[in-house]
Amino acid sequence: MPADNELWPAWLPIRSELRELKPYGAPQIANVIHLNTNENPFELPKAVAEALRARIEVIASSLNRYPDRDAATLRTDLANYINLAAGTDFDLNNVWAANGSNEILQTLLLACGGVDSLVLGFTPSYSVHPLIAKITGTPWKSGSRNADFTLDAPAAVLEISTIAPALVFITTPNNPTGNALAINEIRELAIAALNVGALLVVDEAYQEFSNELSAVTLISEFPNIVVTRTMSKAFAFAGARVGYLIARPEVIDAMLIARLPYHLSSLTQAAAQVALKHQSELQAEVQILIAERNRIAAAIIALGLSVIPSSANFLLFTGFRKSAELLWQEFLDGGVLIRDVGLPGYLRVTVGTAAENDHFLALLQRLAP
Ligand SMILES: Cc1ncc(COP(=O)(O)O)c(C=O)c1O
């Protein structure tokens, strides 16, 4: 797709604000170790794959029919999953599901964004947030972080109060930095947002890897908190595309207005329900990844480099003398694809299997000092 203004043909009425954009996406390269998109490295356990096959066989003959438009059973299962983890009391009226949390965020901004609704986010953070804002015609403002990428909660509260946005986005654990907010910090942001009539959107894509309490526990107190989640990471289900949102029922009603009819296929709904049934097997792998994350972090530090403390399934590291671009290329030449997130002097690595992580660490030892 042409990204250059000159290359868009005169007959194509692409919106002027999109003309300078390039399609988003990390490189997809064959025959290398993929540690660049924060996927879960484990294939689905045999029992889960078997159960999926059996379920698809059952629903295959009814694919002539549209899916349950409102995905009621899946939303109930997701509410139960959250309640079990967080001790909350949600039901399907508090949950909305879609094709990945990216679609959740886009639908949310279709419903609550737009030209008159400023979004405030604290960068560096998930780079798709400002992109979705742009695509939905919603103005975006970047708030700041500390030099070590932690969020200065009192400064953020001040920014919310003075800027008075319609929506505030926070990501915790944050991508690409890995650090998480404490629940009392989220509460402070929620109060500030409520005072200016803003929604606080908490992107918890990596929550299962964190020890901090989820923001879902604040929803009964704060109507303006919306939490987005995904099955792409902890459930090893990125290819199935399932994300969801937890919020007050009024937010779900707004999502129902903005969603496309039949947006979530019968196959996706059924697959997600099977994965949720097998949550304990899948969650066991999260513990392995946390242990591997801590092992890699210690090894990076032992090499004399620095790493941002991570509550997610990836690590942002620094302290190498080469440019990030050069080191990224050298890693690729050595057969490991990591992520240059555009922060000078930093690279991000996703936690892989033990063997993949060993390969990464061996390369790091050879290339980085
Ligand atoms: C912070 C954050 N939010 C959302 C997503 C999107 O996840 P999904 O696969 O559910 O669209 C990602 C993916 O990497 C992410 O890092």
Side-chain angles (χ1 to χ4, degrees), residues 37-38 100-102 105 126 129 171 175 203 205-206 230 232-233 241-243:
T37 50
N38 299 342
S101 53
N102 287 334
L105 292 162
Y126 184 42
H129 291 163
T171 307
N175 179 12
D203 185 333
Y206 302 95
T230 180
S232 295
K233 316 294 178 183
R241 310 303 300 126
V242 186

Side-chain angles (χ1 to χ4, degrees), residues 314-331:
F314 55 83
L315 291 153
L316 189 70
F317 62 98
T318 187
F320 42 85
R321 282 190 221 112
K322 297 168 181 164
S323 72
E325 290 90 340
L326 178 61
L327 188 56
W328 178 86
Q329 185 61 53
E330 288 178 349
F331 264 104

